[in-house]
Amino acid sequence: MPGGKRDTPYRIEALGKQHDRVGFTCGSEPLDTYLRTQAGQDVRKRVAVTYVLCEGTSQTVVGFYTLSAISVDIGAWPEDVAKTLPRYPVVPATLLGRLAIEWQLPGRGAGAHLLMDALHRSWQASRQVASVAVVVDAKDRRAVELYTRYEFIPFDDVPTKLFLPMRVIEQLFA
């Protein structure tokens, strides 16, 4: 799996009031607006947890992702996956809801660093609160290509919705 841990000048921490997110620009206005105006509210309301990427000792946000809980209908999973799951109407998963980096950062490992951190946190949390996979809703074809490079599997009925089984993530970090 590409993008394993490496030495970087980056640090990732939970979004706080000290973080400067006003100038964040990733090239997607909905993601920019979310970080600037909605992310803090979602954290306070416990709808999603936002983790931010900063460089060195700076408090300026250069990337972020969100995690939250999700339930996935048993019928949504591909058949080969569904047959390994209990026959509950829904099963728990972790939603990687948003992931974005500053438009100047592509090619510097920031996106991979964020994704690996999200997968690691999801795996750690799944050891205390059950989750069978990390699920993403890719916003476009480019995002789908990114996630498939990391072995995410598309759902049959919605090809822009993908998942990575927790057992695969566990193998990555165990």
Side-chain angles (χ1 to χ4, degrees):
M1 185 176 281
K5 273 217 162 168
R6 58 180 84 139
D7 292 330
T8 68
Y10 303 122
R11 72 177 196 289
I12 298 173
E13 54 198 24
L15 176 66
K17 291 181 181 186
Q18 75 275 17
H19 295 113
D20 177 11
R21 45 199 162 137
V22 173
F24 182 83
T25 305
C26 71
S28 169
E29 188 54 40
L31 290 172
D32 295 345
T33 300
Y34 176 82
L35 179 64
R36 291 185 204 126
T37 64
Q38 187 66 40
Q41 293 175 49
D42 282 359
V43 168
R44 285 188 298 282
K45 294 176 182 178
R46 299 186 186 270
V47 174
V49 177
T50 301
Y51 292 94
V52 296
L53 179 75
C54 300
E55 289 185 287
T57 58
S58 172
Q59 295 297 329
T60 300
V61 174
V62 295
F64 75 99
Y65 69 84
T66 64
L67 292 176
S68 58
I70 186 174
S71 294
V72 180
D73 185 282
I74 193 71
W77 299 96
E79 191 174 320
D80 61 324
V81 174
K83 70 182 178 187
T84 67
L85 298 172
R87 290 286 158 211
Y88 299 136
V90 294
V91 291
T94 303
L95 178 65
L96 174 52
R98 293 171 177 84
L99 187 148
I101 58 170
E102 272 281 340
W103 67 271
Q104 305 123 307
L105 291 181
R108 293 180 40 200
H113 192 73
L114 276 172
L115 180 58
M116 289 299 110
D117 189 79
L119 294 176
H120 188 259
R121 284 182 200 271
S122 298
W123 170 63
Q124 292 284 42
S126 77
R127 297 166 74 189
Q128 295 182 17
V129 178
S131 174
V132 300
V134 171
V135 175
V136 297
D137 282 309
K139 69 179 180 81
D140 56 28
R141 188 178 58 77
R142 229 177 61 174
V144 168
E145 290 170 2
L146 167 79
Y147 289 118
T148 55
R149 273 197 309 254
Y150 287 91
E151 300 178 21
F152 278 73
I153 303 161
F155 282 87
D156 292 336
D157 58 339
V158 184
T160 57
K161 186 173 189 170
L162 304 98
F163 70 96
L164 188 61
M166 201 57 72
R167 63 178 160 65
V168 173
I169 298 168
E170 181 176 18
Q171 291 170 358
L172 180 64
F173 296 110

